Amino acid sequence: MSLAEIAVGLLILVSAFLSMAAGIGIVRFPDVLTRLHAATKPQVLGLATILAAVVLRAPTWGVLTTAVLVMTFQLLTQPMTAHMLGRSAYRTSHVRRDLLIEDELGRDIAEHAEPEASDR
Amino acid sequence: MSFLTVVSIAAGIMFGIGGLAAVARIIRGPSILDRALATDVLLAIAMCALGAEMAINQHTDTLVILLVLAMFAVVGSISIARFMAKQDVS
């Protein structure tokens, strides 16, 4: 049992705990926007810790560059997904208005509403 | 039992709980957005589990699968969110 092995085990446990927390979160939270908050944990931090564990376990340049590439693509694509889902949830009224503290998007939409702006 | 065996059992249980919760939300989820979101979470958990298996068994065979999933996982959820109409509630 070396020091690197303990580090790898701890990183795997962190990622597994974040995955479990995301699962419990999307079961227990009340609407789409709060579930988005829970869902992003394993997508970013969980994958980052697990890639660090893989790189620690097989420390070569090929593995390191591939891991960096995986994390880059994940960080590029997951915010797009979350943004589109949140926007679609707002536009199709899947939002619990009683849970919102401040509705800045609704204020902006009301401000910019014009008679001819009916295409969206 | 070595340290990494204990870690792999505990991580397997936690990944399993997360995956089962995501499947439950896919089945129950009141709207199609909940289902798309839960599918994303299930995919993220599968990626983490693949990586954990790689780190425990000390090989890098499935790292390419992680790369492809990170590149193309975005397509499904974005197309659901983009082309969803107001009347598609379920």
Side-chain angles (χ1 to χ4, degrees), chain B residues 11-52:
Chain B
I13 291 173
M14 287 199 266
F15 282 131
I17 291 175
L20 284 180
V23 170
R25 180 50 72 190
I26 292 177
I27 294 171
R28 277 173 52 201
S31 74
I32 195 171
L33 291 173
D34 289 312
R35 294 197 172 97
L37 181 62
T39 313
D40 262 2
V41 172
L42 189 60
L43 188 70
I45 291 174
M47 289 170 76
C48 290
L50 272 178

Side-chain angles (χ1 to χ4, degrees), chain A residues 71-83:
Chain A
M71 205 60 222
T72 307
F73 278 119
Q74 188 79 357
L75 284 179
L76 280 179
T77 56
Q78 287 304 334
M80 287 162 57
T81 310
H83 177 87

Side-chain angles (χ1 to χ4, degrees), chain A residues 1 5-6 9 12-13 15-17 19-20 23-24 26-27 32 35-36 39 42-43 46-47 50-51 53-54 57-58 63 66 69-70 73-74 77-78 80-81 84-85 88-89 91-94, chain B residues 3-4 7 10-11 14-15 17-18 21-22 25 28 30-31 33-34 36-38 40-41 44-45 47-48 51-52 54-56 58 60 63 66-67 70-71 74 77-78 81-82 84-86 89:
Chain A
M1 195 163 87
E5 223 168 84
I6 295 174
I12 290 172
L13 282 181
S15 171
F17 176 75
S19 301
M20 186 179 72
I24 294 172
I26 64 169
V27 165
V32 180
R35 281 173 199 148
L36 269 178
Q43 287 172 351
L47 195 69
I50 214 74
L51 286 175
V54 171
R57 195 75 162 144
V63 175
T66 314
L69 208 55
V70 169
F73 278 119
Q74 188 79 357
T77 56
Q78 287 304 334
M80 287 162 57
T81 310
M84 291 297 289
L85 280 177
S88 186
R91 300 273 180 176
T92 54
S93 333
H94 283 116
Chain B
F3 174 64
L4 276 186
V7 166
M14 287 199 266
F15 282 131
I17 291 175
R25 180 50 72 190
R28 277 173 52 201
S31 74
L33 291 173
D34 289 312
L37 181 62
D40 262 2
V41 172
I45 291 174
M47 289 170 76
C48 290
M54 266 192 290
I56 286 169
Q58 208 161 11
T60 55
L63 202 56
L66 288 194
L67 182 61
M71 283 170 77
V74 72
S77 300
I78 282 195
R82 181 64 186 84
M84 177 183 163
K86 185 132 183 140
V89 286

Side-chain angles (χ1 to χ4, degrees), chain B residues 56-81:
Chain B
I56 286 169
N57 292 333
Q58 208 161 11
H59 64 88
T60 55
D61 296 343
T62 50
L63 202 56
V64 185
I65 301 179
L66 288 194
L67 182 61
V68 174
L69 283 180
M71 283 170 77
F72 293 110
V74 72
V75 177
S77 300
I78 282 195
S79 41
I80 287 178

Side-chain angles (χ1 to χ4, degrees), chain A residues 96-118:
Chain A
R96 290 266 306 273
R97 305 257 170 201
D98 51 330
L99 296 178
L100 291 180
I101 294 173
E102 174 101 34
D103 186 4
E104 292 181 322
L105 180 58
R107 202 179 59 212
D108 285 355
I109 289 176
E111 233 173 61
H112 294 90
E114 291 169 18
E116 68 270 18
S118 60

